[in-house]
Amino acid sequence: MKLFKNTVLIPAGFALLSIFLTDCSQKTSSNLSLSKALSTVESIKGRKEYLNSPYVTAGDRLYIIGHQNGQFPDLGWHVTGEMGGIWNHPIKLMDGFTATISENGNTVCLSQADEFVNFPFANKLTYQSPIKGLSVERFQFVPDGQEAAVIEYTFHNTEAVSKTFTFTFEGYTDLRPTWLGERTNMIDGKDEATWDETTKTWVAKDALNDWFVMFGGANAEKVNSSEKANCDYTPQGQGCRAALKFTFTIPANSSKTLPITIAGSYQSAQKMKDTYRFVQANTHKLLAEKKARYESIEQKTRLTIPDKKLEQAFRWVKYDTDWLIRDVPEIGRGLSAGLPDYPWWFGVDGEYALQGLIATGRKDEVYSAIDLIHKLSEKASGNGKILHEVSTNGAVFNDGNVNETPQFASLIYKVYQWTGDKEFLAKYFPTIKKGLNWLMTKNDANGNLFPDGFGMMEIHGMNSEMIDVAVYTQKAFADAAEMAKVMGENTLAKEYAEKALLIRQKINKDFWVADANSFADFIGTREQALHLVDDAIIRADTLKKPWAVEELKTAKNKIEALPKGASQGFVLHHNWVVNTPMEMGIADTDKAIIALNTASKFVSPFGVFVTGIDRDETAGKDEMPTSLNRKIFTYTGAVMTLPTGVLAISENNYGRPDAALGYLNRMTKSFSFALPGSIYEVSPDYGMVAQAWNLYSFGVPIVQQFFGIQPNAAEKTIVIQPQMPSTWDNASLENVSVGDNEISIYYQKNGKSITLTIEQSKADWKLILAFPKGKYQQVIVNGEKVKTTSDIKLDYIESKQKSIKLNATE
C-alpha cells in the first residue's frame, strides 16, 4: 500500500488514480495516452500462440469481441458467425473495423498485432509496423452505462526526424437483431451510411429499423465509399463499410494519440448522438470512473494466500464476472452466462454464479439479476417455474428445466443469509411456494418425491428421475422450511422440513449404487436404461474409449437380465451430477467418501469431465489444448469449471480441504491459458472465453469453506468455521460484506498452533468461532484463556467485540 498525492490510498494493482486525475486536467486528449493512465494497473500479457483467439472488451451496455491479433473474424454459433464484433444488446452495431497507416505512399494494414495485453477493464494491442521507425498501440475500453466504446491509437516515431503519416480507420457496420429477434418482430434490413460534416462522423442506419451507429474522431476526413478497402476483410451480413482518414506529423522521437469514439442506439439517432458527444468529451473521466469502480471490486472480499496464481485467479474471476453484466433497460439488468455465445440470461447459470457474487460483496448486482429472472419467469409461466434461457429482447427460448425451480429457492435463502433483508425474502417467497407446488404436482407422477425431467445434463433421454434434480429439490425444501419460519408460516415450515428429511433419506437409499461406488445418474426403468446404454456405447466407441465401451457392455448385460418394467438407479455415464449429494452435504458420510474417491478418477489436469465416460488413459496427464483440435463446436469430451467447483465444495463438506484445493488448482491451470485474465467455460481453452459460474466454483470453496464464513445477517450473527488447506500457513480475506457489517479474517499457522484475527465494522454483531470438536486443547482470546462450548461435532466461542485475536493450540 502506498500513499500518493491528493491523499488517495491505492491498493496493489490499482496505483496512480489520483495522479491520473491530476494529469488529465492539464493535458489534452491529443497528447495524453489513455493506456499510460493504466501503466501501474495490473495487466496480463497474452500468449503468442493464442493471438488468433477471442478477447472481450466489456461494458454493461456495450461490449467488443474480436481476436487478440486485432482482427474481427466471423465467430460464434448461436447466430452463426455473428457473435463477435460490437454489440449493444438487443442489437449488434458493427462486425468490426480495420486500420491502415501510410507514409510516402507506402500503405500497410494493421492486421496482425504482435502482443495482446489485458487489463481488468480494458485491452491493449501492440503492432510493430513494417514502416521503419514506427510502432503502434491500440487501446480500447467501454465506459460504464454508455452505449459507446473508445478506441485509441498511439503512434510512436522512434526516428530522429519528424514523420508525416496518413491513418485510415474503416468501420464495418452490421445493425442486426440479437438471437431470437424474429420472435419480437426484429427484422434485419440493409445498412446505409451517411457522412456528418459537423461532427466528422459516419452515421449508419438499418433501413427497416431505428437502429443506429456512428463513429468518428477529431479532425477526421471523409473517405469516399468508392475507394478500395485497404485490408482484406469481408464480414457477412447486411452491413456497410465507411472510412475515416487522419493526416498528422509526429516530431522526432515522439508519439501521437488518436482516439476514435463509437456510439450506437436501438431507439433514435438523437440518443446515439448525445451519447457520442458525451463520451467523446468525457473519455478520460469515464476511464477514471471505471478504474475506480474496479478498484472497489478488487477491495471487496480481498484474498491473500501463499499461492499467488490462485490468488490472482480469484481476483480476476471477480473482474471477469463483471464483464458479463448485461443491462438492457427495457428488459432488465442481470448476469449473462458467458461470452461470446451466451450474452443473455439463464436461470441456472445465475443460480450458481450469484452465490459467488453475493459472497464477494456485489449485493446490488445480485438483486437486479434475481429481479430480472423472476420477472421474466413469472411472465413466461406464472406458476413459480423458473426459466432456463431468455434472449436480450425478452424472447424466452426455454421456460425452464426441472432443476432450476428448486435451485431458485435455495439461491433466495442464500442471499437472505448474507443480507438479512426480510423484504427481499417476502418478495420472492410466494413464488417459491408456487414453484415447489408446481415441482411436485406436475413433475412427480408416481409420487415418490423425485421429480421427473431434465436437470443439468442435456443428454437426450436423460429426463427421468435425475440425481441433481432430486438433490436440489431436497435442498429447496430444507431451505424453504427455514424461510417459512421467518415468514411466520410454521405449519408450512414443518411440512417442508419433513419432506426434506424424507427426500434425503430416499436419495441415500434409492440413488446409491454400491457396485459402482457412486450415486446413480438417474432412476429409471429397464427400458429407459437400455436405450441410454446403447447411446452411451455408441458415444464411447466413437470417442475411442475402449474401457468405457467394455464397462457399458457389461452394464447392458446386467440391465437386460432385469425384469421388464423394473425401476432402479443406474450408473451409465458417470456424469458430474452424481456428485451433487456431496455438494449439498446430504450424502451419508460413508457413502460420500466412497463416492468422492470414485469421482477423483474422472479428471484431467484441468478439472472434472462433464461426462465421465469421455475420459481415457491419458486424461490424468494430458495438458494439451482442446480448441486447436476441434473444427466443429461440441461439448463432447468437455472438462468444465462447474463440475470441478462442485467437487471442491463436496470435498470441503466432508472435511477434506486439501482435496478441495487440488480441484481449485486444476481450474487455475486454465487461468490465462488462452485469454489473459480469464478462465474458459471448457478447460483449458474451449467454449466461452468468460463464464459466469466460475465465481461459484471459486467463491464458495474459498469464502464459505476455507475461511468458513457462514452468515446469518438477520440475526446479526456470523459463524466462522475455518477449514484451511495444510499448505496455507498465512491467509487473509478482507472486507467481506455481511448485511451492514464487514469482516476481515487473518489466519496464521505455526506448527500445531493457529492465530486467527477477526475484525468487524459493527460491535453489536455476534461472532461464533467454531472448530472440530477436541482439535484444540488450549484457546486464548485477546490474551485470556477461555473455555469453549461444545456440541456433538464442534467446539465454539462467541464474541461481540470489533476485534478478536484467537490463539489455539492442538
Side-chain angles (χ1 to χ4, degrees), residues 345-349 351 372-381 384-391 394-401 404-405 408:
W345 307 294
F346 288 73
V348 72
D349 294 67
E351 288 160 351
L372 172 65
I373 291 298
H374 176 256
K375 175 180 65 178
L376 294 174
S377 296
E378 284 293 277
K379 183 179 178 181
S381 301
K385 182 181 182 182
I386 301 302
L387 62 78
H388 176 66
E389 183 175 10
V390 57
S391 190
V396 174
F397 176 70
N398 177 347
D399 68 357
N401 293 330
E404 283 160 298
T405 296
F408 182 77

Side-chain angles (χ1 to χ4, degrees), residues 17 26 62 98 172 210 238 286 431 493 530 532 597 750 779:
L17 176 61
Q26 300 170 348
L62 182 147
T98 62
Y172 291 78
D210 287 331
Q238 300 193 73
L286 292 166
T431 298
L530 283 173
L532 284 168
N597 291 339
N750 185 7
V779 178

